[in-house]
Amino acid sequence: MANNASAKKRNRQTLAATQRNRIIKSRIRTFRKRFLAAVESGDSAKAQEAYNSFVSVAERAAKSNVIHKNTVSRLKSRSAARLKAVSAA
């Protein structure tokens, strides 16, 4: 347990940041699931719209260092490949 004021404050800040990060990560997962559902449905336009929303949320998370930029890059690349497959079919 924190014994001095600065350690107590740091603990409060860590708890707040952890909660914020958890919300952002959950949002990324939600948008990714929406994209994957759109891909499964085979609707190219809906999949494109879902992809754009997913990428936007993921990029914002990387910008604020919630997740690593390379992780976002990997997710975008894999999602783009799935989108391309749906658009071609």
Side-chain angles (χ1 to χ4, degrees):
M1 187 65 200
N3 290 323
N4 57 26
S6 62
K8 289 176 183 176
K9 179 179 179 180
R10 190 69 220 154
N11 195 30
R12 286 194 310 268
Q13 290 176 329
T14 300
L15 291 174
T18 300
Q19 186 175 10
R20 257 193 320 271
N21 293 345
R22 194 174 288 156
I23 290 168
I24 293 169
K25 287 180 183 181
S26 174
R27 188 171 165 89
I28 292 169
R29 285 191 296 269
T30 300
F31 276 82
R32 184 165 181 244
K33 286 177 188 176
R34 286 182 191 168
F35 167 70
L36 294 174
V39 168
E40 289 297 319
S41 72
D43 185 4
S44 179
K46 187 176 177 183
Q48 179 66 51
E49 184 179 328
Y51 173 78
N52 290 341
S53 299
F54 165 63
V55 168
S56 175
V57 170
E59 286 287 346
R60 275 185 268 145
K63 184 177 178 183
S64 59
N65 293 320
V66 174
I67 57 177
H68 198 274
K69 64 179 184 175
N70 290 355
T71 302
V72 173
S73 181
R74 184 180 66 247
L75 291 173
K76 283 172 48 179
S77 176
R78 291 176 181 176
S79 298
R82 287 178 183 234
L83 181 65
K84 186 177 178 182
V86 169
S87 299

